[in-house]
Amino acid sequence: MPYLLIVTALWAFSFSLIGQYLAGQVDSDFAVLLRVLIAAALFLPFTVWRGLPARLLGGFWLAGALQFGVTYLCLYRSFHVLTVPEVLLFTVLTPLYVTLFDDALARRFNPWALLAATVAVGGGVIIRFQPLTGEYLTGFLLLQLANFTFAAGQVLCRRLLQQYPVSQPLHHYFGHFFLGALLLALPSFLLFGDMQRLPHTALQWGVLVYMGVFATALGMYWWVKGSTQVSAGTLAIMNELHVPAGLLVNVLIWNRDADLPRLALGGAVIMASLWINRWGRARLASAQ
């Protein structure tokens, strides 16, 4: 849980930084590519290539392509048609995808995890619901694809680490995750990137470097590591905490207005979903 909480805080800042300094100013494909390159460069000195299960490495390449490649290419594009609050609103469905994808891989159905994830989604909706304007349908579809691939990638990494325990520590092969992300990030920039919209201020470069090191490299590493220490239901709910966390960053850093009673109520509902998940797990365990 501590790893997931730390990453939630890191990613809460990411939404605001993208919306404030990068969206509409810096080419989104370049932003994604640079973040992946920075993360890959940090892990490659530790990366081993032999002595690991082929399915483990192949799965990490696939998870990287999904969880960072597809997810972040869609996320950045959504900022062209959505505001930061709208982006936060449309990402509330991620817990449902996590729960359903984990159940599909395990060939089971856990109603308590799905119920807890649904309650967490309800908390996110309470916090972020507002009338929508503009081209929100395009943004909604982009973010549902991002939500699904982000959920699929993290569940896949979690199950791979459970099914293929190895003596090597995670940082010795986590570089393969970002190499998989490069399979999509690099061609996307070469095909669709706009060289006229590269970062042109030190602040923009600084934001991208910060996000590459902390939100991407360390964030993804800690998230995957933390995902193995909790249940799938808890992992699903933790995907919802970025909503109140992202809103708090908007309020505290950018002095944006917020409905604090709604924030408190939605946050309480999300926390209640953790209790529902724990209670449901205990009931399932006692029934076996």
Side-chain angles (χ1 to χ4, degrees), residues 26-255:
V26 175
D27 178 68
S28 59
D29 292 289
F30 177 79
V32 173
L33 176 61
L34 183 60
R35 290 178 63 179
V36 175
L37 286 172
I38 291 172
L42 289 176
F43 279 99
L44 279 180
F46 309 103
T47 300
V48 297
W49 298 84
R50 296 180 179 180
L52 294 169
R55 289 189 176 183
L56 176 65
L57 294 186
F60 264 76
W61 279 66
L62 175 59
L66 290 173
Q67 195 174 352
F68 200 93
V70 177
T71 296
Y72 279 79
L73 288 172
C74 291
L75 174 64
Y76 272 82
R77 280 167 169 79
S78 73
F79 281 96
H80 295 308
V81 292
L82 299 174
T83 64
V84 171
E86 287 172 337
V87 171
L88 289 170
L89 173 62
F90 289 157
T91 56
V92 299
L93 296 177
T94 304
L96 296 178
Y97 297 133
V98 171
T99 301
L100 293 173
F101 194 78
D102 184 75
D103 280 352
L105 288 183
R107 297 181 181 179
R108 63 159 190 257
F109 175 64
N110 184 342
W112 290 105
L114 182 59
L115 174 61
T118 302
V119 171
V121 168
V125 172
I126 289 173
I127 295 171
R128 284 289 2 125
F129 182 76
Q130 61 182 11
L132 302 174
T133 60
E135 301 178 36
Y136 61 85
L137 180 58
T138 300
F140 175 82
L141 294 176
L142 280 171
L143 283 175
Q144 295 325 297
L145 178 58
N147 292 342
F148 178 79
T149 54
F150 187 71
Q154 60 187 294
V155 171
L156 179 58
C157 283
R158 179 176 180 274
R159 295 192 66 83
L160 285 169
L161 292 174
Q162 292 173 338
Q163 292 178 3
Y164 300 99
V166 295
S167 59
Q168 294 279 3
L170 179 59
H171 68 272
H172 279 183
Y173 53 93
F174 198 66
H176 293 279
F177 177 93
F178 294 110
L179 293 176
L182 278 175
L183 291 178
L184 292 180
L186 181 57
S188 182
F189 173 68
L190 295 176
L191 291 172
F192 307 112
D194 184 354
M195 296 297 292
Q196 303 301 316
R197 297 177 58 215
L198 297 183
H200 57 275
T201 69
L203 181 58
Q204 290 173 338
W205 282 106
V207 167
L208 285 172
V209 171
Y210 162 81
M211 296 182 72
V213 173
F214 293 98
T216 305
L218 295 177
M220 297 303 296
Y221 173 76
W222 285 334
W223 189 265
V224 170
K225 192 175 182 68
S227 72
T228 64
Q229 300 174 2
V230 298
S231 68
T234 300
L235 177 63
I237 295 166
M238 292 301 297
N239 276 267
E240 199 68 19
L241 281 184
H242 74 277
V243 178
L247 185 57
L248 280 176
V249 168
N250 258 351
V251 172
L252 298 176
I253 305 298
W254 311 116
N255 296 317

